[in-house]
Amino acid sequence: MSKFVCAFLLIFVMAFVTQLVYGGGEGSLTVQECPRACDYRCSKANARQACLFYCNLCCDKCLCVPSGTFGNKEECPCYNDWKNKEGKPKCP
């Protein structure tokens, strides 16, 4: 019985670590999931409507939104590398 429990725990931990390491990133969202992810991403933004517009635009293209409400753009290279005409980041 204890071997079964140990094997189960090992599989559970491996699945958790795999999700932690490989979860997120480009292509991890569907277009339908973008509004919810952007709603959280822009929840603390001063210009919330502009943030939501550009976040959804970027998510539709990249299928990724960085975690948190600020920063972490390295999680989504497409999101991070998309620039406006002035060379500034397009995605919030």
Side-chain angles (χ1 to χ4, degrees):
M1 181 72 169
S2 66
K3 288 182 181 181
F4 176 74
V5 172
C6 288
F8 177 76
L9 287 175
L10 179 64
I11 291 169
F12 179 76
V13 169
M14 288 174 56
F16 177 76
V17 169
T18 301
Q19 176 64 26
L20 186 64
V21 172
Y22 296 109
E26 289 186 34
S28 64
L29 296 176
T30 64
V31 174
Q32 293 81 12
E33 294 171 313
C34 288
R36 184 173 177 199
C38 287
D39 190 48
Y40 177 72
R41 178 76 176 171
C42 297
S43 63
K44 295 184 180 178
N46 290 332
R48 185 168 165 75
Q49 292 304 317
C51 180
L52 285 170
F53 176 80
Y54 285 106
C55 181
N56 279 291
L57 186 72
C58 295
C59 185
D60 287 347
K61 176 182 178 187
C62 302
L63 297 177
C64 180
V65 174
S67 61
T69 57
F70 183 80
N72 304 319
K73 289 186 180 182
E74 68 278 357
E75 296 173 358
C76 305
C78 167
Y79 194 98
N80 188 37
D81 296 340
W82 200 10
K83 308 292 183 200
N84 64 16
K85 292 177 185 176
E86 290 83 36
K88 295 178 182 177
K90 188 172 197 106
C91 306

